[in-house]
Amino acid sequence: MITAGIDVGSISTKAAIVKDHVVLATKVIQTGYNAQNAGRKVFDEIQAETGISSSQIQAVVATGYGRKSVTFADKAVTEITCHAVGAHYLNPEIRSIIDIGGQDSKAIIIDEKGRVKDFAMNDKCAAGTGRFLEVMARALEVDLDAFGEMSLTADKTSAISSLCTVFAESEVISLISKGEKRENIIAGIHASIGARVMAMGNRIGLKAPVMMTGGVAMNIGVVKALEEKLNSSLVVSKSAQVTGAIGAALIAETVKGGNNE
Amino acid sequence: MTESQKPIDPEKEKRKIKSDKRMKEIMTEYYVEAKTPREQRGKKIAWITSGGPVEPLICMDIIPVYPENYGAMIGASKMGVDLCEKSEEMGYSRDLCSYARADIASATVNGGPIGGLPEPDMLICCNNICGTVLKWYEVQARYFKVPLFILDTPICHTEFTKEMRQYVVKQIKEYIAFLEDVCGKPFDYDRMDEVGALSFRGQELWQAILDTTMHKPAPITCFDAFFHLAMIVTLRGTRTVVDYYEMLLAEMKERIAAGIGMIPDEKHRLLWDNLPIWYKMRWLSDKFASHNACLVADTYTSGWTSSMKYLDPDDFLGSLAEGYTRIFLNAGTDIMADNIMGMAEKYDAVGVVFHSNRSCKPYSLGQYDIQRIVQEKMGLPTLMIEADMVDERSFSESQIDTRIDAFIEML
Ligand code: SF4
């Protein structure tokens, strides 16, 4: 059985194709302003790349903040459940997940079957999310992809105390004007995300081993900052960014009703 | 298509609560009387906090008016943001309770639902619900230049001590003297016995109505209770409440007998904690219903019967001090957690939805602890929704949508 998962996030949209519980392909594109188009586009592109046509795909599950705009999906499932299923598939030992996406961050506790036991999400605020990092990258005029490596060369971690993105941005700007090294500021930004996300994780009581999923997991600086707060190492899969899409495709295997078109 | 041409959905029709109509009539009559010009009305008007002892007012033929009930109307009619912004222009902080903000602003404009509340002749403020009401009522007393009576009820973290009793009993006497002074007539203690008995009976009936949801499927959800609550809040101590609730209770019993549940295919029974999100009632109720989830009970509507065990129907006035001091919001976190766990057992709920309400600090402050206690002691899954009861700017629909979906997926 071939199924697909589409994860429409606020910054990027992801797709995964699964055949009999094995991931065949994944794909990431930018969401842009039209979430509905992005879902369609990533689905078309992954089909073109794999040569698997939509008639072969028996079920599609959509997830992410734009999950309800994916009209061709058989079912919409929240990213909480999809990340749980995806993380469990990637590593069945995992008991907790930290997912930092574009507009929200989550901490999820799962059981030995990959079922969600509890979760917490950031409140209506961009602090501790991918968007926060984007704003900071702009303020620092640094390419976001370089953030992780740069922060590893910091000689100290600048203190960024504001929880609010706007205030933190002005803190960053004043640090720049004081001549603080960019590397140190970036390390400070990562530490502030780490503190913010761990506060949420501690609220529900994270259990090891903890996996980090979502696009921000590719930022080694944030991973290190979280590990420091967590006092243990994080499991980061190469598929971190597409974990939700993989979970969605796996859930699609259980969706009755078959063909998506 | 006009309203009358719409085809009637028999399924929906079956689930409609027939008594609603009568309730709307009663509330309209109540506000029409209160809004009648002072000269024609004859009666005086007192603004009173929702948890304040209203029975002595009824006894003195004073019409009680509730700014908090009005706040709910403002929220439900989606006028909250405008009025909150207006109060912020006046200099009030956005962190202040949105009932207070909306009420303070609406007093200064000729607007809001029903064109604003009738002006008060006096203000009665009891801080058994929160500390906000103290400053709020002081502001309004200065604005309307009317006398203010403050009843100070110490928080009962665990118990109601002898000293507390003396302290509150003394104030109840002062309260009566205050009313005699403002009205220029003596207090009628015999009538007080009748009013007290009616208040108690009203509370009994209200609790009986709430308890009908122990039945599966539940004949109503908490969203219905939020609506019918207005009666026990505003007309407590009158025959009207007793008559109406008798009618509503009879209807609930009929529904149970006929097997009518508010949620057609009731699957998940849940509890609600904290005030309703007035401007999103329909959305939330549809949202939970779409998952076949039924909010069978809540800590809010049962708040008006929370201290019945301390009230004596045969000596209402004598038990007033304890009854009004020991309401659920004036207690410690452990008592609140016990209350929720007791309700979960009683109504056989499988999860708890907490509304973390930016406005109401006394209600929301201990929620994370309560959440943890409920999870640890009962293993119940819980959901936290961050919002505000009136100020829509504090509501993020897509985030809350995801949280509710994920919570139900988890059950
Ligand atoms: S703070 Fe809470 S108890 Fe006090 S008036 Fe506002 S909503 Fe009511």
Side-chain angles (χ1 to χ4, degrees), chain B residues 4-30:
Chain B
S4 57
Q5 283 172 318
K6 260 191 206 157
I8 293 172
D9 176 352
E11 266 301 303
K12 267 200 181 148
E13 207 51 31
K14 191 174 86 181
R15 269 169 242 293
K16 259 198 194 146
I17 301 172
K18 318 257 172 330
S19 308
D20 279 8
K21 205 171 135 252
R22 178 70 193 124
M23 156 112 183
K24 281 184 192 140
E25 282 166 16
I26 295 172
M27 291 309 288
T28 308
E29 282 160 22
Y30 159 70

Side-chain angles (χ1 to χ4, degrees), chain B residues 244-260:
Chain B
Y244 177 73
Y245 281 157
E246 272 170 357
M247 169 173 150
L248 184 61
L249 181 60
E251 187 182 346
M252 291 305 116
K253 287 183 177 161
E254 278 167 28
R255 284 169 82 94
I256 289 176
I260 301 171

Side-chain angles (χ1 to χ4, degrees), chain B residues 68 97 99 129-130 132-133 136 275 329 359-362 389:
Chain B
E68 288 154 79
C97 162
Y99 275 174
I129 48 171
C130 68
T132 305
V133 289
W136 172 6
L275 275 81
L329 264 186
S359 270
C360 192
K361 281 80 183 173
M389 65 216 175

Side-chain angles (χ1 to χ4, degrees), chain B residues 312-378:
Chain B
D312 178 358
D314 297 323
D315 179 20
F316 200 84
L317 193 59
S319 59
L320 204 71
E322 182 163 6
Y324 273 94
T325 305
R326 306 189 79 169
I327 69 156
F328 79 117
L329 264 186
N330 206 35
T333 302
D334 290 318
I335 294 183
M336 292 192 191
D338 284 345
N339 180 36
I340 292 191
M341 290 190 288
M343 288 179 80
E345 239 162 65
K346 177 173 176 186
Y347 297 98
D348 198 16
V350 298
V352 187
V353 180
F354 290 92
H355 165 207
S356 170
N357 183 351
R358 277 207 80 80
S359 270
C360 192
K361 281 80 183 173
Y363 216 148
S364 309
L365 188 70
Q367 271 177 324
Y368 281 106
D369 285 321
I370 296 174
Q371 183 185 33
R372 186 181 40 77
I373 295 171
V374 169
Q375 280 173 341
E376 281 173 8
K377 290 202 176 157
M378 290 187 83

Side-chain angles (χ1 to χ4, degrees), chain A residues 208-230:
Chain A
V210 184
M211 177 179 263
M212 183 168 171
T213 63
V216 177
M218 293 177 305
N219 179 328
I220 179 75
V222 175
V223 175
K224 285 258 175 300
L226 277 167
E227 285 178 332
E228 215 161 275
K229 288 268 166 202
L230 195 62

Side-chain angles (χ1 to χ4, degrees), chain B residues 256-322:
Chain B
I256 289 176
I260 301 171
M262 192 46 97
I263 305 297
D265 196 5
E266 179 185 300
K267 198 164 151 206
H268 313 289
R269 293 169 65 84
L270 305 172
L271 296 183
W272 176 274
D273 182 54
N274 211 308
L275 275 81
I277 304 173
W278 292 112
Y279 47 87
K280 283 287 171 190
M281 288 265 279
R282 169 58 69 78
W283 184 85
L284 280 166
S285 129
D286 288 350
K287 178 83 209 160
F288 282 104
S290 75
H291 288 296
N292 297 326
C294 180
L295 286 143
V296 288
D298 69 281
T299 54
Y300 183 60
T301 55
S302 54
W304 276 265
T305 62
S306 62
S307 61
M308 270 177 79
K309 56 175 176 280
Y310 308 116
L311 286 169
D312 178 358
D314 297 323
D315 179 20
F316 200 84
L317 193 59
S319 59
L320 204 71
E322 182 163 6

Side-chain angles (χ1 to χ4, degrees), chain A residues 92-122:
Chain A
E93 298 298 310
I94 296 300
R95 289 297 170 269
S96 309
I97 302 162
I98 292 173
D99 165 40
I100 307 187
Q103 73 171 4
D104 47 34
S105 46
K106 307 169 199 76
I108 309 166
I109 311 277
I110 61 175
D111 67 9
E112 66 293 341
K113 294 217 166 79
R115 285 179 305 215
V116 178
K117 293 280 42 84
D118 199 3
F119 67 92
M121 280 168 82
N122 65 314

Side-chain angles (χ1 to χ4, degrees), chain A residues 67-68 78 81 122 124, chain B residues 375 386 401 403 405 409:
Chain A
R67 65 190 177 283
K68 285 173 186 160
T78 64
T81 303
N122 65 314
K124 297 165 284 295
Chain B
Q375 280 173 341
E386 278 114 12
D401 190 67
R403 284 183 205 203
D405 286 349
E409 284 165 9

